[in-house]
């Protein structure tokens, strides 16, 4: 059944501003079975069948004939479809609904002719349709979404251009606090708000504001937000990891949300995720984060709330705490060797392991499922983990306290030694390393690092060239000295030959022979000297004879 009221349009086909499968998970938790349900706006057609089942009588309000006819064609008999403006609808209706759902927001609920209706006025009209004690679910787009502001602009579609006028409405909430204040002004001071991260047309991650406040850098909630932002398309100015880290430090992760879903009269869980066909939810408990949903057999029942091991390692690297780094690496090595059977079919990632007490516990792993039929030893697992850490450390541009001349293999070998692995590790089935960030800032930082590397290599080349030139000069001086010494040696050899020839000529002369004879005659005239010469000759003859025997 279709009703047409004031403000209805003909040739307009609205597209949902906020939509996605994860909204169904939230609505199924917060919406009770009610006698009457009001759905306002161009709600995602995939949600409508689930909403129709939540009320015995359902009313759907859209602003165009086209949307009304499309919805009415598939609606069951308990659904009434109305085409027109919210102001005209509210003038005819009273507070007659047990639940009101406007997940698409209030930006396109007014008529195009006459005085425009502000966002706060539309909120007042919408709240007037809710009975006391009822459930209200309302969505709002984030007009100052940091993730979008730090992205390279892309071509906007017709729905985005149509929302340009809504940005000039100063009553429209621009933050979670403003949304809560607007609902409190209408008599709803107790509100739970979920932030949707990623593509607003296909939301797959919802995280409550309270969970974002309790989380911090390196926690499971922060990794959930980073995973959602990583899956968004388009080139970025700042890497997702850097953006999430800075916002988590400031407690402002809600500023990067694509939109907010506020719930009055119902409580949702801490987080809702969609990973492929898997629907996962996280909820806070005294022991940590409880997990549940569909097809979550590979997830632990409870997730820790502490920061990841990678976050602690990066913190120790930044503070040059090498002893603490070595101690943590040793504990990691012992834990992985003791728990190697638990990781027999999957790799270990330090960004998905959390310290718990004196040990460690696995965190949320939705993108890295076990591979059947493969196994790895503890040494191979540690090698893969340290290589991934080294890759992420270098790609993020972090400085480290170890010498800059060490290569990645040398760093990994050093860290493996800290973990108790002393033998070389051979890994024939190593998984691929994560891709490098493609944002503009990381690209510029890599370009600057390459420039610094080129400058350093040029300086080393100049120094080496200068040293070689000095050595060449020294070698030339030594060669000249050696040549001079060789000339001097040849001169001395020539003089020695001349002296030998002169001596030979002298000894061959008659005068030398006469002097020799005279000396021998003098020896015969001295009996003692003659006896010594005779005894010496006799002793020599005896010794020669003994040697012959």
């Amino acid at each position: 059944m279709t009703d047409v009221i004031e403000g209805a349009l003909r040739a307009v086909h609205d597209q949902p501003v906020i939509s996605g499968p994860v909204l169904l998970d939230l609505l199924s938790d917060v919406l009770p079975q009610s006698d009457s349900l009001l759905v306002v706006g161009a709600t995602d057609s995939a949600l409508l069948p689930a909403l129709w089942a939540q009320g015995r009588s359902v009313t759907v309000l859209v602003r165009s004939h086209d949307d009304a006819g499309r919805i009415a064609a598939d609606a069951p008999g308990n659904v009434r479809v109305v085409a027109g403006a919210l102001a005209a609808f509210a003038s005819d209706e009273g507070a007659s609904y047990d639940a009101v759902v406007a997940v698409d927001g209030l930006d396109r609920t007014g008529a195009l002719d006459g005085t425009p209706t502000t966002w706060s006025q539309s909120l007042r009209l919408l709240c007037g349709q809710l009975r006391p004690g009822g459930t209200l679910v309302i969505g709002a787009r984030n007009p100052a979404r940091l993730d979008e502001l730090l992205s390279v602009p892309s071509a906007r579609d017709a729905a985005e251009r149509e929302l340009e006028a809504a940005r000039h409405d100063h009553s429209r909430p621009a933050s979670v606090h403003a949304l809560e204040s607007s609902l409190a002004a209408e008599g709803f001071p107790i509100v739970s708000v979920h932030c949707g991260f990623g593509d607003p047309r296909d939301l797959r991650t919802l995280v409550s504001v309270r969970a974002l406040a309790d989380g911090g850098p390196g926690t499971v909630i922060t990794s959930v937000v980073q995973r959602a932002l990583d899956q968004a398309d388009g080139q970025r100015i700042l890497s997702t990891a850097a953006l999430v880290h800075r916002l988590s430090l400031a407690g402002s992760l809600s500023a990067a949300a694509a939109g907010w879903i506020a719930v009055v009269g119902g409580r949702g869980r801490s987080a809702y995720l969609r990973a492929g066909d898997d629907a996962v939810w996280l909820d806070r408990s005294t022991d940590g984060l409880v997990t549940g949903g569909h097809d979550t057999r590979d997830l632990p029942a409870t997730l820790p709330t502490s920061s990841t091991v990678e976050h602690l390692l990066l913190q120790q690297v930044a503070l040059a705490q090498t002893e603490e780094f070595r101690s943590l690496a040793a504990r990691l090595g012992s834990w992985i060797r003791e728990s190697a059977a638990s990781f027999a079919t999957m790799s270990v990632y330090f960004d998905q392991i959390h310290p718990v007490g004196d040990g460690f516990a696995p965190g949320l792993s939705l993108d890295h499922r076990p591979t059947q039929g493969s196994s790895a030893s503890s040494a191979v697992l540690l090698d893969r983990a340290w290589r991934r850490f080294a890759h992420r450390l270098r790609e993020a541009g972090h400085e480290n306290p170890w010498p800059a001349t060490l290569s990645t293999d040398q760093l990994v070998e050093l860290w493996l030694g800290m973990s108790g692995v002393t033998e070389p590790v051979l890994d024939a089935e190593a998984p691929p390393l994560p891709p490098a960030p493609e944002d503009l800032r990381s690209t510029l930082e890599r370009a600057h690092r390459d420039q610094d590397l080129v400058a350093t290599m040029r300086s080393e080349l100049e120094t080496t060239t200068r040293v070689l030139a000095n050595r060449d000069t020294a070698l030339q001086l030594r060669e000249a000295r050696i040549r001079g010494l060789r000339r001097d040696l040849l001169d001395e050899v020539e003089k020695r030959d001349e002296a030998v020839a002169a001596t030979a000529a002298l000894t061959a002369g008659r005068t030398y022979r006469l002097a020799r004879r005279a000396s021998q005659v003098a020896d015969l005239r001295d009996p003692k000297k003659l006896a010594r010469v005779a005894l010496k000759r006799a002793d020599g003859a005896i010794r020669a004879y003994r040697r012959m025997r």
Side-chain angles (χ1 to χ4, degrees):
M1 180 176 62
T2 303
D3 296 337
V4 179
I5 61 176
E6 183 181 352
L9 303 176
R10 169 59 65 182
V12 173
H13 183 67
D14 288 334
Q15 295 292 334
V17 178
I18 298 179
S19 62
V22 75
L23 292 179
L24 179 61
D25 303 331
L26 173 64
L27 293 176
S28 62
D29 283 342
V30 301
L31 282 181
Q33 285 291 334
S34 57
D35 292 333
S36 57
L37 171 65
L38 173 62
V39 181
V40 178
T43 306
D44 186 2
S45 58
L47 298 180
L48 289 176
L51 292 175
W52 294 338
Q54 294 297 120
R56 294 183 178 90
S57 176
V58 180
T59 301
V60 180
L61 175 64
V62 292
R63 66 173 182 171
S64 71
H65 294 277
D66 295 340
D67 288 335
R70 174 178 53 84
I71 295 173
D74 300 327
N78 66 325
V79 176
R80 172 193 173 204
V81 182
V82 181
L86 177 61
F89 178 82
S91 63
D92 297 334
E93 303 280 342
S96 58
Y97 294 96
D98 297 326
V100 177
V101 177
V103 293
D104 199 44
L106 302 176
D107 294 320
R108 297 184 296 184
T109 58
L112 297 182
D113 55 345
T115 304
T117 305
T118 63
W119 192 92
S120 59
Q121 292 172 346
S122 298
L123 178 63
R124 186 172 296 110
L125 294 172
L126 186 69
C127 293
Q129 305 303 305
L130 188 65
R131 290 173 181 170
T135 302
L136 172 66
V137 182
I138 182 171
R141 279 287 293 271
N142 184 2
R145 174 185 168 192
L146 283 180
D147 181 49
E148 187 178 39
L149 294 176
L150 295 177
S151 300
V152 177
S154 58
R156 296 184 301 171
D157 55 17
E160 289 288 341
R161 290 192 295 270
E162 186 181 348
L163 290 176
E164 184 67 29
R167 294 188 175 94
H168 299 280
D169 183 2
H170 299 294
S171 67
R172 186 172 183 259
S175 65
V176 171
H177 177 70
L179 179 60
E180 293 174 342
S181 300
S182 299
L183 289 171
E186 299 300 329
F188 302 110
I190 302 176
V191 182
S192 65
V193 181
H194 281 73
C195 299
F197 295 94
D199 185 1
R201 303 292 178 83
D202 187 23
L203 282 180
R204 293 181 173 270
T205 302
L206 283 174
V207 184
S208 68
V209 173
R210 182 172 298 179
L212 291 177
D214 294 339
T219 59
V220 171
I221 294 297
T222 305
S223 65
V224 165
V225 174
Q226 181 176 339
R227 174 181 176 274
L229 297 180
D230 276 333
Q231 293 176 345
D233 297 330
Q235 190 176 20
R236 303 177 182 276
I237 299 175
L238 182 66
S239 67
T240 302
L243 174 64
V244 171
H245 179 72
R246 285 163 173 77
L247 291 180
S248 62
L249 287 175
S252 303
L253 280 173
S254 60
W260 309 296
I261 307 294
V263 180
V264 178
R267 178 194 177 276
R269 303 185 187 273
S270 296
Y272 297 90
L273 313 174
R274 282 295 182 109
D277 296 331
D278 299 347
V280 181
W281 55 259
L282 309 176
D283 207 4
R284 190 66 184 244
S285 69
T286 56
D287 298 330
L289 288 173
V290 181
T291 64
H294 303 292
D295 196 14
T296 59
R297 57 186 179 275
D298 298 322
L299 294 179
T302 304
L303 297 175
T305 58
S306 59
S307 299
T308 60
V309 168
E310 180 179 277
H311 178 75
L312 296 179
L313 291 173
L314 290 177
Q315 183 178 5
Q316 293 166 357
V317 166
L319 298 177
Q321 297 175 341
T322 55
E323 291 300 325
E324 290 80 356
F325 187 97
R326 182 181 296 274
S327 175
L328 182 56
R331 291 172 51 203
L332 280 170
S334 300
W335 178 71
I336 291 179
R337 279 189 291 273
E338 295 172 358
S339 309
S342 303
F343 303 99
T345 57
M346 64 185 302
S347 297
V348 179
Y349 298 101
F350 291 157
D351 55 326
Q352 294 174 1
I353 296 177
H354 301 258
V356 177
D358 296 333
F360 303 89
L364 185 65
S365 176
L366 295 175
D367 302 321
H368 306 287
R369 294 302 177 90
T371 303
Q372 299 299 329
S374 63
S375 60
S377 63
S378 59
V380 171
L381 292 175
L382 283 168
D383 181 77
R384 294 176 182 177
W386 283 120
R387 286 189 183 280
R388 177 183 172 89
F389 175 75
H391 176 76
R392 291 166 66 91
L393 179 71
R394 290 189 181 277
E395 289 299 332
H398 294 291
E399 299 292 337
N400 63 75
W402 294 281
T405 55
L406 292 181
S407 64
T408 300
D409 291 337
Q410 291 172 331
L411 275 177
V412 171
E413 184 180 356
L414 175 64
W415 295 336
L416 283 174
M418 297 179 185
S419 301
V421 180
T422 57
E423 299 295 331
V425 179
L426 299 178
D427 187 7
E429 299 180 356
L433 295 173
E438 296 181 357
D439 58 286
L440 297 181
R441 184 164 182 171
S442 298
T443 303
L444 290 175
E445 288 180 352
R446 283 195 293 270
H448 290 319
R449 290 200 300 269
D450 292 341
Q451 290 178 355
D452 294 340
L453 179 61
V454 170
T456 302
M457 295 179 66
R458 182 180 290 112
S459 177
E460 292 181 355
L461 179 61
E462 292 176 354
T463 302
T464 304
T465 304
R466 185 168 57 253
V467 170
L468 291 177
N470 294 336
R471 290 182 178 179
D472 187 61
T473 302
L475 288 175
Q476 291 178 358
L477 293 175
R478 291 181 181 180
E479 183 180 1
R481 179 60 178 168
I482 290 174
R483 289 178 179 177
L485 291 175
R486 184 172 180 275
R487 286 194 300 269
D488 294 342
L489 178 60
L490 292 176
D491 293 341
E492 294 299 327
V493 168
E494 184 178 356
K495 292 179 180 178
R496 186 203 63 182
D497 293 340
E498 294 177 355
V500 169
T503 302
L506 179 64
T507 55
R510 183 177 180 183
T511 304
Y512 178 80
R513 288 197 302 270
L514 289 175
R516 180 71 175 168
R517 293 294 183 185
S519 174
Q520 292 175 354
V521 171
D523 292 339
L524 292 176
R525 294 178 62 185
D526 186 356
K528 294 181 178 180
K529 188 174 182 180
L530 180 62
R532 284 196 300 271
V533 173
L535 288 175
K536 186 177 180 180
R537 290 182 178 179
D539 183 67
I542 293 172
R543 290 177 182 275
Y545 176 75
R546 286 177 178 176
R547 286 195 296 270
M548 292 174 59
R549 293 180 61 184

